[in-house]
Amino acid sequence: PTPHSPLPTPHSPLNLVRVGDPNQAINSTFTPADPIYFREFCGVCDRLGKLATMDQAGRSTRIIIAAANFALEWVNSFYQLKNQPSSSPPFRSQNIRPVNTSDPQTNPNPLPVGRGLELYTPRDIYHTVELLSQRVIELFTQNPKEISGAILVRENRQGRWLGEMLTPVCKEHKITLYDVGESDRRSHIPQEMLGLLQFCDRPHSPDYLKAALEVLVQRQLIPTQDLNALASLPEEFLYPSPLAELQTDTVKKSAHLCRSLLRARLELPLYQLIAFLALTLKYDQAELATADKLAQRVNQQITENNSMEAMLCALSEIVTSERFEAVETDDLDARYTRGGQLTIITMHKAKGLDWDYVFMPFLHENLIPGKFWVPPKSQFLGDFTLSEVARAQIRTAIHGESNIPNVSQAWEQAKHLKTSEEYRLLYVAMTRAKRLLWMSASQQAPFTWSKPENLQEQAPCPVFSALTRQFPKCVVTLAT
């Protein structure tokens, strides 16, 4: 209250203020971040004449703001044209404007680097890496310690592949490359330890054997193979009798590694098991430090009851009740946006962050907006996924709508929500860039990034195609 205003009483009306952007809310299922809640709040305030809109932003250069505004309006127009007119569009209509020249923030709406927006159509994903590497080298050799850059990917598998391809280039030119996905995988260490220890405790369990084999496959210690066949008969797999069918070399290698885990369970004390498993999985330095931290915590918890059962209970509690914090060798503050660093990060994790230069490769229609794929074994129910149908029906009930959609209506609604989420994710990713937004959609790309070597023709993301038509001066012509 001001000196001349009355003090509030317990019965004074309260003012509720919410600051946010429904177009930056990605998820729309089972989350309080569903844009529908904020849109309803804004609608109520608007009807009461109490809605104030902040439509200015100083983070990005003007061409990036123009591209983001165009993408938003194009998606809404396209959505209304191609989908049910009654469906709510993915975005709340808004037009972001640059701030005034007198704005007090540091370097508002900075000048663009190059064209500010650069659109590429490489031949394939390898050509994409070549073009991206050239641009990174040009940018990072100018002011290596003062600028920041990030490569935003849709899937962690894309980031892992890019990290492998870019590591030699970055080392040669002394550019720091930080793969966020590789760092985050350390938080899976408790789950991996639990899976292997459960197998050591009950090796006759098909489920535990399969879980252990999955960890070994993921860590690339054994080749990919039919794990269900191996786990169906644990004793025959681990200790084949003379009458059993001869095992292939791949199966023999897998069985030998599993037997070594069981032998360690018999020969080592409990407090050394996690360290042994970490070495067996060939963890790197940071992962070993995380495993050591985990071992110390578990050993402290089982001091009074030093048994395998107590160890499994402690690990299960860590896995299910909280996110185990991995050991970071560097500082935690701003580790994603350090100057002189090129960060590989997913679009989801990039929300709330920004960089001078943002690279967005592999913008293909099969991922953005993508589509639901119904496995053949599930098609006996119909051409839909039961979980998505149920989720759409529950969402309708939670939002207080009177008519619960039937299966076909719920399936269409689920596809609508999926498309909307992907386009909002793309919008969030585009608005992370300050001075340069680099986007590409190669003509050939893998259908699934679990097999990046299998290339085929891929259609670009519709928004990317629309941007190339709207901003032709930003399209970079490539030599044939």
Side-chain angles (χ1 to χ4, degrees):
T2 64
H4 304 288
S5 63
L7 292 174
T9 67
H11 303 289
S12 299
L14 300 178
N15 290 320
L16 177 63
V17 178
R18 292 188 183 182
V19 179
D21 183 354
N23 296 330
Q24 302 274 352
I26 301 169
N27 299 322
S28 58
T29 45
F30 295 128
T31 167
D34 191 324
I36 191 172
Y37 297 116
F38 195 82
R39 289 179 180 179
E40 290 176 352
F41 177 81
C42 291
V44 172
C45 293
D46 196 20
R47 289 190 293 272
L48 296 175
K50 296 184 177 181
L51 178 66
T53 303
M54 296 180 290
D55 60 353
Q56 291 182 294
R59 169 193 294 143
S60 306
T61 190
R62 292 173 181 266
I63 185 65
I64 295 176
I65 293 178
N69 285 337
F70 170 78
L72 184 151
E73 293 301 329
W74 184 90
V75 168
N76 276 357
S77 301
F78 177 81
Y79 214 85
Q80 293 292 347
L81 191 64
K82 296 293 183 181
N83 293 271
Q84 306 95 327
S86 59
S87 300
S88 59
F91 296 101
R92 187 175 188 270
S93 183
Q94 68 178 6
N95 185 65
I96 300 298
R97 299 181 297 112
V99 299
N100 299 325
T101 54
S102 59
D103 193 271
Q105 64 182 290
T106 304
N107 195 21
N109 301 123
L111 294 175
V113 169
R115 307 181 194 189
L117 173 67
E118 297 179 359
L119 308 171
Y120 295 77
T121 53
R123 295 186 301 272
D124 53 35
I125 59 176
Y126 299 98
H127 191 202
T128 302
V129 172
E130 179 184 341
L131 295 171
L132 195 154
S133 300
Q134 292 173 357
R135 199 69 177 102
V136 166
I137 294 170
E138 292 172 2
L139 297 170
F140 276 78
T141 52
Q142 296 174 2
N143 298 300
K145 299 300 181 183
E146 300 176 8
I147 52 92
S148 61
I151 303 173
L152 308 189
V153 293
R154 179 61 187 84
E155 294 183 351
N156 271 315
R157 290 177 295 186
Q158 294 174 331
R160 185 180 303 181
W161 183 84
L162 269 174
E164 294 175 356
M165 300 296 292
L166 292 173
T167 295
V169 177
C170 290
K171 283 185 178 180
E172 179 183 353
H173 294 274
K174 296 181 174 56
I175 300 172
T176 303
L177 182 66
Y178 180 56
D179 183 356
V180 174
E182 188 65 35
S183 174
D184 286 351
R185 278 188 284 276
R186 299 176 201 147
S187 63
H188 294 214
I189 289 175
Q191 182 68 58
E192 292 178 348
M193 294 293 113
L194 178 62
L196 294 184
L197 288 173
Q198 284 176 330
F199 162 69
C200 291
D201 185 51
R202 296 181 59 190
H204 56 279
S205 166
D207 291 337
Y208 289 160
L209 173 56
K210 183 181 177 182
L213 290 171
E214 287 175 345
V215 172
L216 299 177
V217 168
Q218 187 176 8
R219 301 297 304 190
Q220 299 181 351
L221 296 176
I222 62 174
T224 302
Q225 53 197 300
D226 186 358
L227 302 184
N228 290 319
L230 302 184
S232 61
L233 298 171
E235 292 182 6
E236 186 174 313
F237 165 66
L238 293 170
Y239 302 103
S241 67
L243 299 179
E245 184 179 349
L246 290 178
Q247 295 179 338
T248 64
D249 292 340
T250 299
V251 174
K252 286 181 179 179
K253 179 180 179 181
S254 304
H256 175 74
L257 188 54
C258 289
R259 286 194 298 269
S260 69
L261 299 180
L262 297 178
R263 188 165 57 252
R265 166 69 181 93
L266 297 174
E267 297 177 357
L268 295 176
L270 284 179
Y271 65 86
Q272 290 184 356
L273 277 181
I274 291 179
F276 170 80
L277 295 177
L279 292 172
T280 302
L281 295 180
K282 298 182 179 180
Y283 283 168
D284 60 26
Q285 181 181 3
E287 289 172 324
L288 288 173
T290 300
D292 184 61
K293 173 185 174 183
L294 177 66
Q296 291 180 4
R297 175 168 170 178
V298 170
N299 291 330
Q300 287 176 353
Q301 289 187 229
I302 66 172
T303 301
E304 298 181 358
N305 181 16
N306 190 17
S307 65
M308 175 63 83
E309 181 181 2
M311 175 177 280
L312 292 176
C313 288
L315 273 173
S316 297
E317 182 183 356
I318 290 172
V319 170
T320 58
S321 66
E322 64 178 285
R323 180 181 174 86
F324 183 76
E325 291 293 336
V327 174
E328 293 287 344
T329 55
D330 299 316
D331 63 288
L332 296 177
D333 296 335
R335 61 185 182 270
Y336 301 149
T337 57
R338 296 189 190 103
Q341 175 177 285
L342 179 64
T343 303
I344 300 177
I345 189 171
T346 61
M347 296 179 181
H348 279 98
K349 207 170 186 66
K351 184 179 178 182
L353 305 174
D354 53 55
W355 295 268
D356 294 303
Y357 314 133
V358 166
F359 303 86
M360 296 172 58
F362 316 135
L363 297 175
H364 296 106
E365 188 177 27
N366 67 328
L367 286 179
I368 301 177
K371 61 180 180 180
F372 284 128
W373 178 71
V374 183
K377 64 181 180 181
S378 301
Q379 292 180 359
F380 70 94
L381 293 172
D383 192 17
F384 60 87
T385 302
L386 186 60
S387 60
E388 295 298 335
V389 168
R391 189 174 290 113
Q393 291 175 330
I394 294 173
R395 181 178 184 269
T396 301
I398 289 175
H399 291 162
E401 299 181 25
S402 56
N403 296 324
I404 304 299
N406 58 34
V407 171
S408 59
Q409 293 170 335
W411 180 239
E412 290 302 316
Q413 183 178 345
K415 292 191 289 186
H416 169 92
L417 295 172
K418 158 74 173 171
T419 303
S420 298
E421 288 183 5
E422 293 297 333
Y423 280 137
R424 285 196 295 271
L425 178 62
L426 179 67
Y427 177 78
V428 168
M430 292 176 64
T431 55
R432 302 305 94 199
K434 295 180 182 178
R435 304 172 63 194
L436 173 64
L437 177 59
W438 188 104
M439 306 174 74
S440 77
S442 56
Q443 299 170 33
Q444 288 195 325
F447 176 76
T448 171
W449 280 87
S450 60
K451 297 181 179 179
E453 67 278 2
N454 294 343
L455 301 181
Q456 55 185 271
E457 295 291 330
Q458 292 290 349
C461 168
V463 172
F464 179 84
S465 299
L467 286 170
T468 59
R469 295 189 295 268
Q470 180 69 16
F471 300 92
K473 293 183 179 179
C474 296
V475 177
V476 179
T477 304
L478 304 176
T480 57

